[in-house]
Amino acid sequence: MAVTTTGATRTSGPREAAARFALLPLRVFLGVTFLYAGLHKLTDSAFLEESGPGSIGGQMEAVRDASAVPALVDLGLHAPVAFGLAIALGELAVGLGALLGLLTRVAATGGALISLSLWLTMSWTAEPYYLGNDLPYLMAWTPLILAGGGALSLDAAWRARRAGRTAGAAGDSTTV
């Protein structure tokens, strides 16, 4: 099968197809996971409370002294419910962006920042470090920050549509 890209013709085989879709499983996994995490926080009756078992306030109090950046926890402790709501809504936005491939680099950067903040606060004390889950999530966002959404993303559809408009506009011009 011949594929034309910017004037050059190349053959597309299984390797090229695999490379084209390589980021899709990562995007789906991270998108579903962050959507689930955000929804879970919003529907958990205990999470959006200032204190108590399972509350965002209780969790932050528990990790404050052992975190790598206690000042970051202190910021959230000023308004734990608002902070928990912001995290949940951020996870929802990141999850949707990753799953749809919509503003993928922005969504991935948001996911990486959430993962970094959780690693430096909530899972910092995991021993050995690789047992904490937030650091692997941080690393998993990196390919999407670097490469974008890849195939089957709204970003790719918009790029293709813009390229079609640009090519159509160039072909419609007449010289005098």
Side-chain angles (χ1 to χ4, degrees):
M1 173 174 146
V3 177
T4 304
T5 57
T6 61
T9 302
R10 64 177 172 85
T11 304
S12 178
R15 242 182 230 189
E16 289 79 11
R20 186 169 165 241
F21 291 100
L23 293 176
L24 187 58
L26 182 62
R27 227 181 67 220
V28 169
F29 170 75
L30 290 171
V32 167
T33 300
F34 271 61
L35 270 175
Y36 178 79
L39 288 172
H40 183 261
K41 286 174 178 65
L42 292 176
T43 59
D44 182 350
S45 60
F47 181 76
L48 291 176
E49 297 290 333
E50 287 194 29
S51 62
S55 69
I56 182 65
Q59 290 177 37
M60 290 191 304
E61 285 286 347
V63 300
R64 192 234 174 256
D65 293 332
S67 73
V69 187
L72 190 59
V73 179
D74 288 339
L75 284 174
L77 281 171
H78 291 296
V81 175
F83 183 75
L85 188 60
I87 290 290
L89 294 175
E91 287 173 338
L92 285 175
V94 163
L96 278 173
L99 197 56
L100 298 174
L102 175 63
L103 301 172
T104 308
R105 285 187 169 106
V106 173
T109 300
L113 290 173
I114 290 170
S115 297
L116 176 63
S117 67
L118 291 173
W119 176 54
L120 293 173
T121 56
M122 302 300 281
S123 62
W124 180 254
T125 59
E127 187 70 34
Y129 77 92
Y130 54 81
L131 292 180
N133 63 340
D134 297 309
L135 184 58
Y137 280 110
L138 172 60
M139 294 299 112
W141 286 112
T142 305
L144 296 176
I145 293 170
L146 296 173
L152 298 180
S153 69
L154 288 177
D155 293 341
W158 286 345
R159 268 192 312 276
R161 187 173 177 170
R162 274 192 310 242
R165 283 184 184 166
T166 304
D172 292 341
S173 64
T174 58
T175 52
V176 179

